[in-house]
Amino acid sequence: MIDWSKYEFRCSSLGDIMTNDRSGKKMGQTCISKLIQIWWKEMYDVEKPLSTKHMEKGIICERDGIDLLSRLVYDGEYLVNNKTRNQNGFISGECDVYRKDIGKIHDTKISWDVETFSKADMSKTYEWQGIGYMWLWDCDEFELNPCLISTPEHLVMDELRRLAYYMDDAEGTSDKYLEMELQIQRSMNFERIPEELRLKRIPLKRDKSKEDDLIIRITECRKWLSNFDPKKLI
Amino acid sequence: MSNIEKTNQSVSKTTTIKGLMSSETVKEKLHDLLGRNAAAFTTSVIQIASQNDMLAKADPTSILNAAMTATTLNLPLNNSIGHAYIVPFNEKQKDGSYKVKAQFILGAKGLRQLAIRSGQFQELYAKEVYEGQKIDDNSFVGYRFDWSKKVSDKIIGYASYFRLNNGFENLYYMSAEDVEKHGKKYSQTYKKGFGLWKTDFEKMAIKTIVKLHLNAGEAPLSIEMQKGISADQAIVNDLEGEDFSYPDNKEATIDIDQAARVKELNALEMNISEVSDIEHLESLQSDLSDDEEMCDIIQVRIEELKKNMFTDTTATKIDKK
């Protein structure tokens, strides 16, 4: 049986559990949905499959993103990709890069295309994730770094196969297909764009009062999870 | 290292087929192998590559090797003749990325041609079997057909037959379902719903039945037939046509974590190759102490630097003396 009173929330879920209802005081619907998701995951290892192509690009290109950050911000110095999951009794997390010498954490986000890159900003999810990381590593600075990295060739090929299927052109020989193919190739390859335009730097400073807010909400969520009865959903 | 390996290695950095064919090493090699036909061969290879946009992007060495295989088998690379083809294929690399390479495809007619040339076959043919034509279904003692009993246009299978000069005859049959299963098993494009198996199923089925029949153990295979069968659907890795890899048979899935890991190791290797400060490398090594593989890579670089330092010091001492 899970002891929910000791459950540590992942930094990536903090944005969801910190949402409030309209009164601004109680847990919001997004928070409750997240808690239900966590309950199923922890009790029966059931979870919603994540979108694959975006996730796949994120995993494969993570190192490219860190290298871009290294070239643009740290003069090419090798940045160690953190593999440690820290925990403090309330939350747990694994940031991308931790620079102990300057007390700073970087989290790279690999954008799927120019549109998602342009829109990438310090959303509530990323902000709470950053707050969580600074708390876990006890440091004062966090930087979110959305990156525009060329899509790996096999994912481009997947897109082209999908295009051929939708255009009913299995061999991919029609003029219309070829024109679209070129467009896809260009929209997924960013090497021609100067590197300094392919990395965003969005800083966040530590605010310890936010950590207190997290403790209050986590305590509430733990209580909610302990009392949760899935039969009420049926 | 053989000359062929040297040739392949020295040309591997050339980016276009034209550049490759005009390099002195290749010219020399082709002259050795083909004599006065080398110039005509060069023209036809450049022509083939330029006829297909994707093939033009393929690794030029793989185009050259595939074309050389067709030439040594004396099969023309002309689509309308249908003896042999060179097609582009996206080959998965170790890091999960894809590289376009040229794949040699032996046509059904080419296979038949090689059998005829061996001089041992009196007859060799393959055809579709329609519903009603198969009258005895016994794979152990042999199938029997009555070609006049066709009841519909539904193809139920494919049969291949040969008779040798010495009178030995043999028949091979596969149901349409089994042929389809074979296509799905061995063709990555058919699995995904496109490619020749999708657009030219009949042709591919006939070729498959002939190839499987000849390779089943009953038919005498000349050296050329063996080579043709081995090279079919392969990426030819050398000019002599002896080293093949079969991209169609590879697992299509990509190990994402493995691909990310390869990238990570490559990035580290590339980065530290420019670092000459041993202290910095040792501190990096301590940051990465949980990762044995990465520590090993750094250790190699440290030892390389130490060795260079030793060589430099020794050289200085010798100079002073």
Side-chain angles (χ1 to χ4, degrees), chain A residues 52 55-57 59-64 66-67 70 76-81 83-84 100 149-150 152-155 157-158 161 164-165 169-171 178 181 185, chain B residues 53-54 57 90 95-100 192-196 198-199 254-257 259-261 263-265 267-269 271-272 280 284 287-288 290-291 294:
Chain A
T52 54
M55 206 174 78
E56 207 172 312
K57 183 176 176 186
I59 297 170
I60 295 179
C61 298
E62 186 182 26
R63 185 70 237 178
D64 298 307
I66 295 174
D67 285 344
S70 146
E77 187 186 334
Y78 185 78
L79 297 177
V80 174
N81 187 359
K83 295 283 166 66
T84 311
K100 197 177 174 181
I149 302 288
S150 292
E153 185 71 17
H154 76 278
L155 288 176
M157 294 309 290
D158 281 350
R161 269 193 286 275
Y165 176 79
D169 181 6
E171 294 302 312
L178 293 171
E181 176 183 329
Q185 299 265 20
Chain B
D53 281 351
M54 198 170 162
K57 288 182 209 160
N90 259 307
D95 64 356
S97 66
Y98 276 74
K99 190 173 180 183
V100 184
K192 288 162 192 156
F194 64 101
L196 279 173
K198 184 78 184 169
T199 53
I254 290 172
D255 185 336
I256 305 166
D257 293 333
R261 177 71 179 163
K263 246 183 196 177
E264 202 169 50
L265 295 176
L268 174 73
E269 213 167 334
N271 193 290
I272 61 168
H280 176 80
L284 190 59
D287 287 344
L288 289 162
D290 291 341
D291 194 323
M294 285 193 153

Side-chain angles (χ1 to χ4, degrees), chain B residues 243-301:
Chain B
D243 179 16
F244 307 115
S245 47
Y246 300 93
D248 267 348
N249 294 357
K250 280 186 187 168
E251 217 17 79
T253 54
I254 290 172
D255 185 336
I256 305 166
D257 293 333
Q258 176 66 15
R261 177 71 179 163
V262 169
K263 246 183 196 177
E264 202 169 50
L265 295 176
N266 286 345
L268 174 73
E269 213 167 334
M270 197 185 282
N271 193 290
I272 61 168
S273 69
E274 286 163 16
V275 178
S276 49
D277 178 355
I278 294 180
E279 251 178 60
H280 176 80
L281 288 171
E282 280 168 348
S283 121
L284 190 59
Q285 210 173 21
S286 108
D287 287 344
L288 289 162
S289 57
D290 291 341
D291 194 323
E292 211 176 306
E293 210 173 350
M294 285 193 153
C295 284
D296 287 348
I297 292 175
I298 301 170
Q299 192 55 37
V300 170
R301 177 67 183 148

Side-chain angles (χ1 to χ4, degrees), chain A:
Chain A
M1 203 55 196
I2 295 170
D3 181 358
W4 291 107
S5 68
K6 289 181 180 155
Y7 183 77
E8 289 176 332
F9 288 84
R10 286 174 165 250
C11 284
S12 55
S13 68
L14 299 181
D16 284 341
I17 67 160
M18 291 307 287
T19 55
N20 295 319
D21 67 357
R22 283 184 188 173
S23 72
K25 289 171 189 168
K26 290 180 182 170
M27 294 191 294
Q29 194 49 50
T30 311
C31 169
I32 290 170
S33 302
K34 188 73 201 176
L35 294 178
I36 294 173
Q37 224 180 70
I38 291 172
W39 191 90
W40 283 108
K41 165 79 181 120
E42 296 301 325
M43 294 294 283
Y44 300 105
D45 198 20
V46 191
E47 63 185 327
K48 206 166 100 182
L50 293 165
S51 150
T52 54
K53 66 177 184 182
H54 302 95
M55 206 174 78
E56 207 172 312
K57 183 176 176 186
I59 297 170
I60 295 179
C61 298
E62 186 182 26
R63 185 70 237 178
D64 298 307
I66 295 174
D67 285 344
L68 183 66
L69 173 72
S70 146
R71 288 194 295 275
L72 293 176
V73 181
Y74 293 101
D75 206 19
E77 187 186 334
Y78 185 78
L79 297 177
V80 174
N81 187 359
N82 168 61
K83 295 283 166 66
T84 311
R85 173 164 286 275
N86 275 6
Q87 51 196 93
N88 64 6
F90 290 95
I91 60 169
S92 75
E94 195 179 315
C95 66
D96 284 349
V97 174
Y98 169 52
R99 290 292 309 243
K100 197 177 174 181
D101 52 343
I102 52 169
K104 190 170 184 175
I105 283 171
H106 286 275
D107 204 36
T108 54
K109 301 283 177 200
I110 308 295
S111 302
W112 175 253
D113 53 23
V114 174
E115 202 185 338
T116 46
F117 176 72
S118 307
K119 286 180 185 166
D121 206 352
M122 187 68 84
S123 64
K124 281 288 162 199
T125 306
Y126 294 153
E127 186 182 340
W128 282 109
Q129 199 171 1
I131 292 166
Y133 288 150
M134 285 189 279
W135 187 16
L136 286 170
W137 268 266
D138 191 23
C139 70
D140 294 330
E141 281 183 74
F142 169 81
E143 194 172 291
L144 181 77
N145 298 115
C147 314
L148 199 52
I149 302 288
S150 292
T151 312
E153 185 71 17
H154 76 278
L155 288 176
V156 178
M157 294 309 290
D158 281 350
E159 291 297 301
L160 295 180
R161 269 193 286 275
R162 211 165 287 139
L163 174 71
Y165 176 79
Y166 284 122
M167 291 182 77
D168 200 17
D169 181 6
E171 294 302 312
T173 48
S174 67
D175 288 347
K176 204 173 169 195
Y177 171 86
L178 293 171
E179 192 186 314
M180 293 284 285
E181 176 183 329
L182 199 68
Q183 247 178 47
I184 288 183
Q185 299 265 20
R186 287 184 67 78
S187 68
M188 296 179 98
N189 189 308
F190 313 113
E191 299 308 315
R192 63 191 180 282
I193 302 174
E195 285 199 333
E196 53 273 23
L197 295 180
R198 295 202 273 128
L199 181 95
K200 281 188 180 180
R201 301 185 64 186
I202 311 168
L204 183 71
K205 292 268 181 209
R206 188 173 184 181
D207 174 356
K208 289 193 177 177
S209 71
K210 300 273 185 188
E211 291 158 24
D212 296 335
D213 294 343
L214 275 173
I215 293 174
I216 294 168
R217 178 51 59 90
I218 287 169
T219 312
E220 273 181 300
C221 289
R222 283 171 168 175
K223 202 171 161 190
W224 189 95
L225 283 164
S226 311
N227 297 328
F228 176 62
D229 179 4
K231 284 181 194 153
K232 285 182 188 166
L233 293 175
I234 302 164

